[in-house]
Amino acid sequence: MTDRLIRPPGAGEPDHPDHAPAGHGTCPVLRVALSSPTPSALLAEVHGELDLLTAPQLRSRLTHALTGSRHTVLVTDLTDVQFLGAAGISALLQAREHAHQHRIAFRVVATHRPVLLPLTLLDLTTTFDVHPSRAQALAAPSYPAGNGRVRREQPPSPDGGEPGSEGHGP
């Protein structure tokens, strides 16, 4: 069996891969850059789209990075993620669970609508320890992993506005 783009009869374009329109037959690009900004923290900078095709790559990279890790915190920076679909959310939930099994705090940096909206609609801003910046995620005090609501402050709202004013400074 071959992977071919199937078009309805009379669609007008040849069914040859060299003649496929731009974007067809190509997988979305996902890049995960891992670094250790502090001795206790592992930073995963995620760039691209988190969807059905790319979620397994994220899951694999994070799971592999956490296995045998001496880090106590994993910060997953989603600032450069343009799309967060259900499979991407599932990969994040699995990575969070894997981190918590290894007693590693799992934090997420989310600053813009394509990431915050799905997390908010699915009520996952209390499941994930969401922070509005990488610096705040790295500096946040550690709490026992897996204790449910671990976020100390509201993440930015998905529409880009400011969160509630209770206890928020500049």
Side-chain angles (χ1 to χ4, degrees), residues 28-125:
V29 176
L30 179 76
R31 188 168 50 91
V32 180
L34 298 170
S35 63
S36 187
T38 69
S40 63
L42 178 63
L43 174 65
E45 296 175 79
V46 184
H47 307 271
E49 297 180 358
L50 274 172
D51 58 20
L52 187 61
L53 295 175
T54 61
Q57 178 184 348
L58 176 67
R59 185 181 313 110
S60 173
R61 290 291 311 270
L62 294 182
T63 300
H64 182 66
L66 291 173
T67 302
S69 175
R70 296 177 192 199
H71 296 98
T72 59
V73 175
L74 169 61
V75 174
T76 305
D77 188 344
L78 304 178
T79 303
D80 289 330
V81 170
Q82 290 89 35
F83 175 79
L84 178 60
I89 291 171
S90 178
L92 290 170
L93 286 166
Q94 290 171 353
R96 176 187 174 271
E97 181 62 29
H98 187 78
H100 288 180
Q101 288 172 355
H102 290 86
R103 310 232 5 107
I104 298 171
F106 186 82
R107 299 179 185 152
V108 171
V109 178
T111 60
H112 59 297
R113 185 177 178 91
V115 173
L116 286 171
L117 185 61
L119 294 179
T120 302
L121 290 174
L122 295 171
D123 197 25
L124 292 173
T125 57

